[in-house]
Amino acid sequence: MTGKDIPSLQDAASSIPAGTKINVTFLGNEDLEMRVAAAKAVKDLGFTPVPHISARRLESQAQLEEFLDRLQQIGATEHVFSVGGDPSEPAGPYPDSLSVIRTGLLQKYGAKEVSIAGYPEGHPDIADDVLWRHLEDKSQALKEHGLDAVVLTQFSFDTDPVTTWIDQVRSRGIASEIRIGTPGPAGIKRLLGFARRFGIGANAMIVKKYGFSLTNLMGTAGPERFVSDLSSLTGADPAREPVKLHFYTFGGLRASAEWVHEYRFAQS
């Protein structure tokens, strides 16, 4: 959710299981008060806030500490997501999420578990070898700081690159929980727009496998096939575990929450 999504969260709350992790973004067009208010709303409604810390948007150490202090005051620092962020140039002293982790400030303000980014289909602006080096360095830094790690991935439409990437993560000795990103139900045009923005594979063969066609963009699509296929693939190989899901709520918080509820019911 974003800082503007508090009403949507309140509307969807009855459909979301207590304790669910809900990430709170760190957008350039939102301020400290909006970010803290969103994290507080998550906490007050009985869920687990996971505030994002966008390294390249931070102008100073003082700004980072102010944010962490405000989050700690509302009990929202145990789980955070340290991410580089979108700006091409850093606004301050932190060029990447690793530099934030290495400050030691996260645990000073109460962090116990830190999510870091994973990219099963690569990143449009970062070479694959750099991505792997960063993932290994961040995992090691978190271990050295006594922090639990979660690798939270960009969303995907295709299980093939996802499972290949999971195997590569494990082969590098990274045993942390992996949360695979998948879009909740959303309009097909909207899904494709986000896919183009983030460099996600979305050719005709891939999206058909996921469950929609590029020739019919008027409807909505959900992740039924993706989730079912991923479950069978990871469950069949214990070496890939632990693997969980992270839903990108492009179609809205309530729509995603209700989809999860209906999917679980259908599987029971």
Side-chain angles (χ1 to χ4, degrees):
M1 64 175 289
T2 72
K4 300 175 183 177
D5 286 335
I6 294 175
S8 297
L9 177 64
Q10 293 168 335
D11 177 60
S14 62
S15 301
I16 304 174
T20 296
K21 290 180 179 178
I22 299 179
N23 284 39
V24 179
T25 57
F26 194 113
L27 301 179
N29 61 354
E30 296 180 350
D31 60 18
L32 174 67
E33 299 303 326
M34 294 178 71
R35 296 167 189 143
V36 173
K40 185 176 187 301
V42 173
K43 181 80 172 181
D44 290 348
L45 287 166
F47 310 122
T48 301
V50 184
H52 290 199
I53 300 170
S54 181
R56 286 194 290 272
R57 293 194 188 279
L58 294 167
E59 297 177 1
S60 64
Q61 178 178 322
Q63 186 184 19
L64 172 58
E65 293 209 58
E66 180 184 19
F67 184 40
L68 291 171
D69 180 63
R70 291 288 302 279
L71 291 173
Q72 188 177 42
Q73 289 177 34
I74 61 170
T77 54
E78 287 194 10
H79 305 265
V80 298
F81 180 27
S82 181
V83 64
D86 294 332
S88 57
E89 296 294 331
Y94 308 115
D96 50 39
S97 59
L98 179 61
S99 61
V100 171
I101 293 168
R102 283 176 169 166
T103 64
L105 292 172
L106 300 182
Q107 62 267 39
K108 175 183 175 182
Y109 285 92
K112 295 181 179 179
E113 178 187 270
V114 179
S115 297
I116 54 179
Y119 300 92
E121 296 187 55
H123 189 290
D125 301 317
I126 305 175
D128 285 350
D129 63 322
V130 175
L131 287 176
W132 284 117
R133 186 171 69 250
H134 284 185
L135 183 62
E136 292 171 334
D137 289 348
K138 286 183 285 188
S139 297
Q140 182 61 35
L142 290 172
K143 186 181 298 183
E144 291 171 357
H145 284 286
L147 294 166
D148 292 333
V150 171
V151 183
L152 177 61
T153 81
Q154 185 54 271
F155 72 91
S156 180
F157 293 131
D158 189 357
T159 55
D160 289 343
V162 170
T163 52
T164 297
W165 178 85
I166 292 172
D167 290 341
Q168 291 176 307
V169 171
R170 299 308 186 210
S171 73
R172 285 168 164 78
I174 300 172
S176 305
E177 177 183 296
I178 296 173
R179 298 182 75 90
I180 298 296
T182 185
I188 293 171
K189 283 186 177 180
R190 186 172 179 81
L191 290 175
L192 292 175
F194 278 105
R196 285 191 294 269
R197 176 180 172 186
F198 295 119
I200 306 302
N203 63 38
M205 182 179 68
I206 289 172
V207 298
K208 182 178 180 180
K209 180 180 177 182
Y210 184 81
F212 64 89
S213 170
L214 293 178
T215 61
N216 181 12
L217 305 181
M218 301 306 295
T220 61
E224 290 88 349
R225 293 186 190 177
F226 181 88
V227 171
S228 296
D229 289 349
L230 183 66
S231 177
S232 64
L233 290 167
T234 55
D237 187 349
R240 290 171 171 165
E241 298 290 354
V243 177
K244 296 185 179 180
L245 292 172
H246 174 82
F247 287 91
Y248 288 88
T249 57
F250 301 139
L253 288 161
R254 175 180 280 278
S256 292
E258 290 179 345
W259 182 91
V260 172
H261 177 77
E262 291 167 3
Y263 181 85
R264 280 177 167 168
F265 180 79
Q267 301 303 306
S268 63

